[in-house]
Amino acid sequence: MDKKTEKCIINKLRTAGCVFAEDEAQLLISEAQTLDILISMVERRATGFPLEQIVGWADFCGIRIKVEQGVFVPRRRTEFLVQQTAALATPGSVIVDLCCGTGAVGAALAKIIGYIELYATDIDPASVRCALHNTTFVGGNVYEGDLYHPLPSTLHNRVDILVANAPYVPTESIELLPQEARNYEIRVALDGGEKGLDVQRRVAAEAPIWLAPGGHLLVETGQKQALQTAKIFAENGLIPKVVTCVELDATVVIGTQTNRMNMNCEILT
């Protein structure tokens, strides 16, 4: 690729509002097999199409994650959810990834922890296809369906860790998202209901049925929603803790299963 053409691509991307135009240009050039394909890729990116969906993959925790058109693209902030989950898991842990999307969280956990017994669910068929591909190396069990519904009942009271990057954007805030999210990612992966807590509430309500004693539920949430999420956890018998990462602008609520009744709610910020 000559410098003049490369400069034209960078200028087009920059004009379209791509903050990292130079890096994106280099990636598109490296991924395109022909000039016609490159032109098509640049045009799609300039109209706001997510870069990861154009090239077909995203870098998440150092893993190349397959990303199909329309699916939720794994965010860097979700690496904090992976870090917090990995700190609680051990080799052989039974882990369930709800709202798994591309399966990025489960794949990253397997890379960090080693052998895990991984189960994952998502309601979107395209996401399930990606998750099947991305968790093949760990022998992940991926199911299409709503939250816990498709999971085998043999997992009742056996799950060491439930992890969920469930949708938590309030419905009225969807239109405020960047266009590459609101226009090109499936809405069900973004919309958390009126206050962004609807899916989290459903996840927490059933968690005690599936968690082993001392097991944990971890969800990513918004910083402004964290205390409400923690309250929902406590209402469902989980001991909640809120952890944040300023660098990644990430917030995770961790709930621990206990057999003791009337446990005081612990909330750390």
Side-chain angles (χ1 to χ4, degrees), residues 20-258:
F20 304 104
E22 293 85 354
D23 293 337
E24 293 194 10
Q26 288 294 327
L27 179 58
L28 292 173
I29 290 169
S30 68
E31 291 291 320
Q33 297 177 342
T34 67
L35 181 58
D36 287 342
I37 292 175
L38 176 59
I39 292 171
S40 174
M41 293 169 80
V42 172
E43 288 295 333
R44 292 167 73 196
R45 182 60 183 139
T47 60
F49 214 95
L51 179 67
E52 295 84 358
Q53 292 182 14
I54 294 172
V55 299
W57 59 274
D59 184 352
F60 183 78
C61 291
I63 305 172
R64 182 175 286 204
I65 297 295
K66 179 182 178 181
V67 176
E68 286 190 18
Q69 183 172 331
V71 304
F72 181 82
V73 177
R75 275 49 163 179
R76 185 161 180 260
R77 71 164 60 93
T78 305
E79 294 184 2
F80 184 61
L81 177 63
V82 171
Q83 294 165 11
Q84 294 301 309
T85 304
L88 295 170
T90 58
S93 288
V94 178
I95 298 178
V96 172
D97 181 9
L98 300 173
C99 305
C100 70
T102 60
V105 169
L109 288 171
K111 178 185 176 184
I112 295 169
I113 301 165
Y115 171 71
I116 57 175
E117 189 177 334
L118 177 64
Y119 300 83
T121 71
D122 201 282
I123 201 168
D124 174 47
S127 295
V128 170
R129 286 196 300 271
C130 290
L132 282 167
H133 175 88
N134 292 321
T135 63
T136 295
F137 75 98
V138 71
N141 304 279
V142 184
Y143 304 91
E144 181 182 336
D146 186 28
L147 298 180
Y148 301 95
H149 180 71
L151 291 172
S153 60
T154 52
L155 288 176
H156 285 176
N157 302 123
R158 276 196 59 226
V159 179
D160 298 304
I161 295 178
L162 286 168
V163 59
N165 185 14
Y168 57 87
V169 179
T171 301
E172 64 178 13
S173 298
I174 296 292
E175 295 306 314
L176 302 178
L177 294 174
Q179 66 167 335
E180 52 190 46
R182 68 175 187 270
N183 292 340
Y184 298 103
E185 293 180 331
I186 186 170
R187 189 181 179 100
V188 71
L190 303 170
D191 194 340
E194 182 181 0
K195 295 183 179 180
L197 300 169
D198 287 4
V199 184
Q200 292 181 5
R201 188 172 283 109
R202 293 175 57 212
V203 168
E206 284 197 50
I209 299 172
W210 299 88
L211 285 174
H216 307 282
L217 168 63
L218 298 92
V219 302
E220 178 177 305
T221 192
Q223 186 175 9
K224 293 181 179 179
Q225 299 163 310
L227 293 182
Q228 294 170 289
T229 302
K231 182 179 178 181
I232 290 170
F233 278 31
E235 289 171 348
N236 287 280
L238 302 173
I239 306 171
K241 179 172 69 172
V242 179
V243 290
T244 61
C245 176
V246 175
E247 180 186 357
L248 295 176
D249 186 26
T251 301
V252 170
V253 179
I254 305 170
T256 302
Q257 174 88 305
T258 176

